[in-house]
Every structure is written in structure tokens, then in C-alpha cells.
Amino acid sequence: MTEHTARTSLAGTIYALVAYVSWGITPIFWKQLLRFPAEAMLGFRVAWSCLILLALGLLYRGFVREQLQYLRSKKRVALILIATLLIAVNWFTYIWAVTQSRIVEASLGYYLNPLGNIVIGIFFFKERLSALRWAAFGLATVAVAILVLSHGELPWISLILACSFAFYGMVKKLLPLHAAFSLGLETLLMLPIAFFLIHRYYPGTQFVTDLSAGEHGLFFLSGIITLIPLFAFGIAARLLPYSTLGFFQYIAPTLQLFCAVILYHEPFDSTRMLSFGLIWISLLGLSVEQLVIYRNKRRSAAVH
């Protein structure tokens, strides 16, 4: 490994850690705003994210004009609309889960996300799965079945988060847009709904006076914590091999689970422990497979 490659790898690792650690500790942030309904929290998050991205867009107009050229296709506009719906569902479900002290279920959703990608690969891209991936998918199915049988209902929070984020990732892969520009469009499209949600609880300009300076500051920060991990992830994705980046994705749900159980004392009984254990085993198998594939590719490249 050359000195330049080592520095690039180190920088990519740092950015990946910033992204996934930031996503992992977000329950702590949203817990500071529990006096607000989840709908209003979503509205403020969207509004501030959009305003910050619009300000950045004014600074980088050339970049915006370049990206707009990719939106001349009706298919791409439709994909942006779909991405907007998916991320809105994901954000609201996650915020609602935190406010209802169901962070354990939220963390399970993000553990399930890589397995959701497997399902998408099967049904949408006609991918053939290895025996190990079929086994991982089977273990995850058993884990969900255990939760259903023990609690009498589907872990719908986990499934909504896993499915919405997996499909969001699929749609984003089909769009030749920069992540920041795409998110700017998505929040812009959500802005009318965000204003409606804010107005529903704070008619007119009531939100200006009803919120303390500290609460206004926290909602402004909700836009910042939305964007920083996204930008960090975008940089990490350019500096690190995708297979390497995949190993970092388990940091976020692990930290969320830690917050839920250690900080907020959410129940984590033996049934949940068994279900999580099965999913962890399946994810370990997927990680080992990815590592083997990555090493084989490197050896092949070295030979040629």
C-alpha cells in the first residue's frame, strides 16, 4: 500500500465513522425534543434541511445548473418523487419510534436493511444468490417470525424502516444525481407538507414565539445533523471500496440499540435477544462473504 493509498483509506475511514456514528446517536438528539409531536419534528427537520441546502445551492450555482440537466427525463422526475415519498416515510417512522421509546425496533430495522437489499436484488434485478445469502435471508425470516409469534404482531416499525430505506437506496442508484442535490430536491418537494405540519400545531407565526431560543436552535441543528452524515458518507463512498464501506453500516444500529437499552432502558427480553442474535449471525455471514469477494478481486487485479 502506497503512502497516498494509506492516507486515502484513513480519510475514508474517518468520514465513514463520522457518518455512521452520527446516525447512531441521533436518538439522543430527538429525545431532547419530546414535548413536540413527531409530525412537527418532521416538519422542522425538513424545513431547516431544505433552507440550508437552498443556501448552499445559491453558493454553488454552477453545480446546480449542471445537476438540473439530468432532470430532463420524466422517468428521473418520477424517481425523485418516489425517493421523496420513501425518505419522508423513513424519517417520520424513525422520529415517531424514538418519541414512543421504540428505538430497539428502529435499530432492528437498520440491521435488516442489508437483507432488504438482498430481496430487492432478487425481485428487481434478477440476481442469483449464493447459498450463504439464502441462509442469511432464511435466518432473518426466522428472526422476524419469532418476534411475531412472541409479541403477536409484526415488527412493523422495523419493517417500514428497512423497506423504505432499502427501496430509497435502490431509487438513488438509478438516479445520476449528486446526493446533496437529490436531497435538496426531495426536501423542496416535502416543504409544503412540512409547512402544513408546522402550521397544524403552530398556526401562523405562532411557532416563532411558542418556541424558546434553545428549541429554535435544536431544530436548526436537526437540519445540520441530517446533512453532515450524508456529506460524510458521500465522501467516504468515493474514498473507500464499497465492500469496505459495508462493514461500517452496522455501527449506526448498534449505537441505536446501545442508546435504547443502556440510556433509555427499553426492554430487551430473551425473545428479542434471540431474534437479534439470528440477524447478527446472518450479517456476519454476509460480511465474511463480502470480505472474501473483495480479497479475490484484489488478487485478480494484482495478477493482471
Side-chain angles (χ1 to χ4, degrees):
M1 181 182 290
T2 66
E3 183 179 350
H4 174 72
T5 304
R7 287 180 179 177
T8 300
S9 180
L10 177 60
T13 298
I14 291 171
Y15 280 112
L17 286 172
V18 168
Y20 285 108
V21 170
S22 297
W23 281 323
I25 61 176
T26 50
I28 299 173
F29 175 83
W30 293 113
K31 282 287 189 181
Q32 310 310 306
L33 294 163
L34 284 182
R35 87 171 184 89
F36 299 94
E39 296 94 328
M41 292 161 73
L42 175 65
F44 282 113
R45 179 184 190 178
V46 169
W48 275 115
S49 298
C50 184
L51 290 173
I52 294 168
L53 286 168
L54 285 174
L56 290 174
L58 292 174
L59 292 175
Y60 298 97
R61 295 178 187 177
F63 166 75
V64 172
R65 283 193 294 268
E66 177 186 321
Q67 291 289 303
L68 285 171
Q69 295 177 7
Y70 294 111
L71 292 177
R72 293 175 181 175
S73 162
K74 290 182 180 179
K75 178 183 176 182
R76 289 171 182 170
V77 172
L79 287 173
I80 282 289
L81 292 172
I82 294 170
T84 301
L85 175 62
L86 289 169
I87 199 62
V89 169
N90 186 272
W91 283 359
F92 174 73
T93 305
Y94 181 75
I95 292 172
W96 186 88
V98 173
T99 61
Q100 301 301 309
S101 296
R102 299 177 75 169
I103 305 171
V104 169
E105 293 173 66
S107 71
L108 176 61
Y110 290 112
Y111 276 125
L112 287 171
N113 183 60
L115 300 162
N117 292 334
I118 290 177
V119 176
I120 289 173
I122 296 171
F123 291 102
F124 290 89
F125 298 107
K126 309 300 179 184
E127 293 179 358
R128 298 182 65 181
L129 299 186
S130 64
L132 186 58
R133 292 198 169 201
W134 276 117
F137 182 69
L139 282 175
T141 304
V142 171
V144 172
I146 289 172
L147 290 174
V148 172
L149 292 173
S150 61
H151 296 286
E153 63 175 8
L154 280 170
W156 62 270
I157 292 174
S158 307
L159 294 175
I160 288 175
L161 288 173
C163 292
S164 60
F165 203 66
F167 278 106
Y168 179 71
M170 182 190 78
V171 171
K172 298 284 272 197
K173 284 185 178 181
L174 297 173
L175 282 168
L177 298 174
H178 189 280
F181 179 78
S182 179
L183 185 65
L185 288 178
E186 292 154 23
T187 54
L188 189 62
L189 289 169
M190 282 191 275
L191 201 57
I193 298 173
F195 285 149
F196 169 78
L197 292 174
I198 295 171
H199 178 77
R200 181 182 175 188
Y201 294 96
Y202 303 98
T205 58
Q206 192 175 325
F207 73 92
V208 177
T209 55
D210 281 11
L211 274 65
S212 67
E215 288 167 341
H216 279 295
L218 284 173
F219 278 126
F220 170 73
L221 283 177
S222 72
I224 299 294
I225 68 166
T226 297
L227 301 179
I228 285 180
L230 174 74
F231 292 149
F233 176 81
I235 296 170
R238 290 196 296 270
L239 297 178
L240 294 174
Y242 199 72
S243 55
T244 303
L245 191 62
F247 289 105
F248 289 94
Q249 67 183 317
Y250 307 122
I251 293 174
T254 301
L255 287 174
Q256 291 166 8
L257 182 62
F258 176 86
C259 290
V261 177
I262 305 301
L263 296 183
Y264 303 117
H265 310 293
E266 289 189 18
F268 193 63
D269 54 27
S270 57
T271 302
R272 283 183 169 178
M273 193 174 296
L274 175 59
S275 296
F276 271 79
L278 290 173
I279 290 169
W280 289 333
I281 292 171
S282 68
L283 294 177
L284 177 62
L286 291 177
S287 298
V288 170
E289 183 186 53
Q290 283 295 106
L291 183 61
V292 170
I293 292 171
Y294 175 60
R295 285 183 172 177
N296 289 340
K297 284 183 178 179
R298 288 194 66 180
R299 286 173 185 167
S300 178
V303 170
H304 293 88

